[in-house]
Amino acid sequence: VYAGGDDIFVVGRWDKVIDFAADVQKAFKEYCQSELKDETLSISGGVAIVNKKFPIAKAAELSGDAEDAAKKYRKEKNAFNMFGESISWNEEFEYVKKYKDQFVSLIDKSGLSRGILHKIMKYAAIVKENKVIEEENRNGNNKRKPDWSYLWHTAYYLTRFMGKEKDNKAVYDFCKDLRDTQLHTPEHYRLMSLAARWAELELREIKNINDKNE
């Protein structure tokens, strides 16, 4: 609905707005490389997800806050903020999108339990709280101990899930990948939680569309 100078403001269905943002970033990057011969220029953005009755002016303010958070994420100001988390366009966005797509496909078509999304988001919330505890402890504000149980709970949950899905190769291999190569660092938990949240909303959108078509 608005474009001027180097700013763009768009209103639309939440998933289409994210796709639009990715398209803008890709086109901007290609233009800078091919026409300007400059790979240092970048673009940041943010999205606010609200219901259809939410005041548009307030929604614009929230999306502006998300954009500001994205600009502060890295020095190069080449990031996107969605669902309250900032990720770089360079690698993190594609990583999150890749696993979001796998979650959606496996849950929608291959029988992966939707509960895995909530488990990952739950464990990621513990990781986030641990960072708060560690920072407070460094400042001498308290002596709370971080909760490291998410590590063995993750391994146990995925191993148990794999045991139930031995005959479902797609689901088995996906859970093995999460357990053995992905969910090892706090940052991986943060990114995977973002993928899970994205998948949860997309699956809800798919269900709504299917219900309308029935």
Side-chain angles (χ1 to χ4, degrees), residues 85 95-96 103 116-128 130-131 147-158 178-197:
E85 292 287 344
Y95 177 90
V96 171
F103 279 128
I116 193 172
L117 303 177
H118 302 287
K119 285 289 186 180
I120 289 174
M121 287 188 280
K122 174 185 176 181
Y123 298 146
I126 295 174
V127 173
K128 195 170 186 177
N130 280 351
K131 288 184 178 180
D147 178 6
W148 303 110
S149 66
Y150 70 91
L151 291 169
W152 54 83
H153 282 311
T154 300
Y156 174 79
Y157 175 76
L158 292 173
L178 293 183
R179 186 194 67 181
D180 295 350
T181 65
Q182 301 306 319
L183 294 175
H184 287 174
T185 68
E187 186 62 8
H188 278 105
Y189 274 90
R190 184 179 79 89
L191 296 176
M192 200 63 71
S193 175
L194 190 57
R197 176 59 176 152

Side-chain angles (χ1 to χ4, degrees), residues 99 102 172-183:
Y99 278 94
Q102 290 188 61
Y172 181 91
D173 289 348
F174 179 69
C175 291
K176 189 174 188 299
D177 175 49
L178 293 183
R179 186 194 67 181
D180 295 350
T181 65
Q182 301 306 319
L183 294 175

Side-chain angles (χ1 to χ4, degrees), residues 9 21 52 105 120 129 132 161 165:
F9 176 63
K52 60 185 179 182
S105 178
I120 289 174
E129 179 62 17
V132 173
F161 203 91
E165 300 292 341

Side-chain angles (χ1 to χ4, degrees), residues 16 32-33 63 85 89 125 138 203 205 213:
K16 300 303 181 184
C32 291
Q33 291 175 343
S63 64
E85 292 287 344
W89 282 119
R138 276 196 295 270
L203 287 163
E205 199 72 50
N213 292 334

